[in-house]
């Protein structure tokens, strides 16, 4: 009752809000709230003439819920339902840029769930779609922060897929794209801590990709760059130590 979700749902359905931002924690309380919100919005979405706002909020809630699922097949199903709603709203043909941005984010989620399930081809195809849509949205709406986030996420994920396929040259190529997109995100919004975190992680990912190709000196350089931006990055410290041991052999 304190959250006033019932009132929010009515306002969204009555088109009284242009945009709705819901911050939910990744804990039991956040998961419970997301389940409640999804259950509340589901019948409204199925009504004839459901508002754009209620469909966007419901689709985004499904994306969040997918990450709370221990059952990754159910997580994929959540994402599929969300993406189907967003496609009907104009996500793929970019007639609704907000829907397109959420669609790309949800596709990224589904790609990661699919990878856990061992569905590598499906995961890779989704990752490519995420990057493609993020790029297209940013052409029309350069300040779309979610699309900047997706543009950096997708190549980092595709780099990990390339590594799983033992395509180390491809992994480096994607890691470079992730690093460039992350830097662009930071330069656009220097106060965004998420952007800084992604830039640090992209340096670490690029270092990993170089290390897998046997380019130890290059890997050391990128691990050191990651640590310059975040001296407490434990994984970078660990991997840098491994590189230094490898250099001595």
């Amino acid at each position: 009752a304190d959250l006033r979700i019932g009132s929010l749902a009515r306002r969204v359905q009555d088109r009284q809000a242009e945009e709705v931002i819901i911050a939910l924690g990744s804990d039991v309380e956040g998961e419970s709230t997301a389940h409640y919100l999804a259950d509340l919005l589901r019948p409204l979405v199925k009504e004839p003439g459901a508002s754009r706002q209620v469909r966007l909020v419901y689709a985004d809630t499904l994306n969040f819920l997918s990450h709370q699922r221990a059952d990754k097949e159910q997580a994929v199903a959540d994402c599929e339902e969300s993406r189907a709603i967003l496609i009907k709203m104009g996500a793929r043909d970019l007639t609704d840029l907000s829907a397109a941005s959420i669609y790309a984010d949800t596709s990224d989620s589904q790609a990661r769930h699919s990878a856990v399930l061992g569905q590598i081809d499906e995961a890779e195809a989704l990752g490519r779609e995420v990057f493609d849509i993020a790029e297209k949205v940013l052409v029309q709406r350069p300040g779309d922060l979610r699309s900047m986030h997706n543009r950096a996420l997708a190549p980092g994920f595709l780099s990990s897929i390339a590594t799983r396929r033992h395509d180390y040259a491809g992994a480096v190529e994607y890691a470079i794209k992730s690093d460039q997109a992350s830097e662009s995100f930071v330069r656009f919004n220097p106060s965004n801590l998420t952007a800084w975190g992604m830039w640090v992680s992209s340096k670490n990912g690029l270092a990993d990709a170089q290390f897998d190709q046997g380019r130890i000196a290059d890997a050391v350089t990128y691990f050191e760059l990651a640590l310059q931006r975040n001296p407490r990055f434990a994984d970078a410290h660990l991997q840098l130590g491994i590189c230094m041991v490898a250099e001595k052999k």
Side-chain angles (χ1 to χ4, degrees), residues 165-184:
R165 294 187 185 280
H166 305 291
D167 176 11
Y168 299 118
V172 170
E173 182 179 346
Y174 280 125
I176 290 172
K177 287 184 178 180
S178 178
D179 184 55
Q180 291 171 339
S182 297
E183 181 177 358
S184 177

Side-chain angles (χ1 to χ4, degrees), residues 91-196:
R92 275 184 171 165
D93 62 13
L94 302 181
T95 53
D96 187 322
L97 294 181
S98 293
S101 184
I102 296 172
Y103 177 86
D105 202 20
T106 305
S107 296
D108 179 80
S109 299
Q110 185 172 338
R112 294 169 194 275
H113 302 322
S114 297
V116 172
L117 291 170
Q119 300 167 356
I120 304 304
D121 290 342
E122 175 71 11
E124 183 176 17
L126 286 164
R128 291 178 185 275
E129 185 178 30
V130 173
F131 186 79
D132 181 59
I133 289 181
E135 287 266 79
K136 289 178 179 177
V137 170
L138 288 168
V139 168
Q140 297 189 46
R141 194 159 68 185
D144 191 301
L145 297 180
R146 195 165 194 171
S147 292
M148 289 184 186
H149 187 264
N150 291 332
R151 183 174 62 177
L153 275 179
F157 173 74
L158 289 168
S159 179
S160 70
I161 292 295
T163 298
R164 289 179 67 164
R165 294 187 185 280
H166 305 291
D167 176 11
Y168 299 118
V172 170
E173 182 179 346
Y174 280 125
I176 290 172
K177 287 184 178 180
S178 178
D179 184 55
Q180 291 171 339
S182 297
E183 181 177 358
S184 177
F185 192 6
V186 168
R187 292 189 183 283
F188 180 84
N189 190 0
S191 65
N192 191 312
L193 295 180
T194 297
W196 279 99

Side-chain angles (χ1 to χ4, degrees), residues 168 172 204-220 222-223 239-247:
Y168 299 118
V172 170
N204 198 61
L206 186 51
D208 283 335
Q210 298 285 3
F211 181 82
D212 289 334
Q213 279 203 298
R215 299 174 179 172
I216 307 301
D218 290 336
V220 167
Y222 286 112
F223 282 130
Q239 296 301 326
L240 181 59
I242 291 173
C243 285
M244 289 180 173
V245 171
E247 278 188 314

